[in-house]
Amino acid sequence: ETGVTQSPTHLIKTRGQQVTLRCSSQSGHNTVSWYQQALGQGPQFIFQYYREEENGRGNFPPRFSGLQFPNYSSELNVNALELDDSALYLCASSWGEGVWYEQYFGPGTRLTVT
Amino acid sequence: DQQVKQNSPSLSVQEGRISILNCDYTNSMFDYFLWYKKYPAEGPTFLISISSIKDKNEDGRFTVFLNKSAKHLSLHIVPSQPGDSAVYFCAASDFNKFYFGSGTKLNVKP
């Protein structure tokens, strides 16, 4: 059973640029959620995708967008990067029809915006 | 607007004793509550969950208690082991949205 993987591990971008982060969900999982974790804080829910459709969204502006592919892997896109977007971005997968609330997290992508 | 709060940033416990981690929430519509453990440079790992219709759930050394009237959740670890040293997050779900606390760093001393 393959766990959740994320790429890249680290990324440095300049304010105003765009970034794409990638996530491969755990084998058998059809739901992916994305989180932003600032230093010293808990993860903040960005959005969730279930079977390629957005299934819930937290308090993040529209410049945070996502995609889920037929193999249930996912992308998080952030446009017009701001300094406050510097954080650890986590994705988590789960089985939407079963124990949907048990999420399995990847190791995260550390994004630095300068 | 923080709907899930962990007011103790850190906790230190002697090996073999009980660790009690606490969490408070404000939204009475939360349907599931979860605890996650996080080691440095890793993503959070699911530990234990409890449905809002229950008040206790046990899994080995870990027990979660839910007090709905007080909107309070706690995780008991008995006995505590040095390998339990990590950051613990409580989380709550409102259907398909998840809210996390800011974490409590547990240090179990040998």
Side-chain angles (χ1 to χ4, degrees):
Chain A
E1 190 176 81
T2 310
V4 178
T5 60
Q6 292 185 244
S7 62
T9 308
H10 295 92
L11 202 51
I12 300 174
K13 288 285 190 178
T14 303
R15 190 171 50 183
Q17 285 187 317
Q18 179 265 344
V19 69
T20 297
L21 310 182
R22 294 179 174 82
C23 172
S24 290
S25 53
Q26 184 162 310
S27 175
H29 286 179
N30 57 13
T31 303
V32 173
S33 300
W34 284 92
Y35 294 85
Q36 180 194 68
Q37 186 178 14
L39 210 57
Q41 302 295 319
Q44 280 204 63
F45 177 72
I46 303 175
F47 44 56
Q48 181 183 86
Y49 278 82
Y50 169 67
R51 293 186 179 273
E52 302 178 59
E53 296 284 334
E54 188 178 291
N55 191 40
R57 191 177 182 94
N59 293 329
F60 280 82
R63 59 188 186 84
F64 286 78
S65 63
L67 278 175
Q68 188 181 30
F69 300 100
N71 67 354
Y72 302 131
S73 66
S74 177
E75 283 181 358
L76 164 66
N77 298 291
V78 187
N79 294 321
L81 283 167
E82 301 176 359
L83 296 178
D84 283 350
D85 296 333
S86 294
L88 180 69
Y89 288 85
L90 295 161
C91 81
S93 71
S94 57
W95 175 237
E97 288 87 7
V99 193
W100 56 269
Y101 48 86
E102 288 186 17
Q103 298 187 311
Y104 294 83
F105 282 81
T109 293
R110 172 73 61 188
L111 172 65
T112 302
V113 182
T114 62
Chain B
D1 176 25
Q2 209 170 349
Q3 300 194 42
V4 177
K5 290 184 182 177
Q6 293 176 259
N7 292 317
S8 298
S10 64
L11 175 67
S12 189
V13 169
Q14 204 67 38
E15 181 180 5
R17 306 294 291 267
I18 184 171
S19 294
I20 300 176
L21 297 103
N22 294 303
C23 181
D24 296 300
Y25 63 94
T26 57
N27 186 347
S28 57
M29 298 302 291
F30 286 144
D31 49 4
Y32 276 95
F33 301 87
L34 309 98
W35 284 94
Y36 285 84
K37 178 168 75 171
K38 187 180 187 302
Y39 293 119
E42 294 182 10
T45 302
F46 171 76
L47 257 183
I48 191 169
S49 63
I50 186 167
S51 162
S52 60
I53 63 172
K54 296 189 174 181
D55 53 22
K56 180 181 173 182
N57 188 26
E58 269 182 277
D59 185 1
R61 298 186 296 114
F62 301 91
T63 303
V64 56
F65 295 92
L66 177 61
N67 182 334
K68 287 184 286 294
S69 60
K71 294 191 176 70
H72 181 80
L73 184 72
S74 63
L75 175 69
H76 292 209
I77 307 173
V78 184
S80 301
Q81 299 173 354
D84 296 330
S85 296
V87 177
Y88 288 77
F89 291 100
C90 70
S93 74
D94 176 7
F95 184 50
N96 54 1
K97 293 184 182 179
F98 292 83
Y99 300 86
F100 280 74
S102 55
T104 296
K105 186 173 184 178
L106 174 65
N107 179 32
V108 180
K109 295 177 288 188

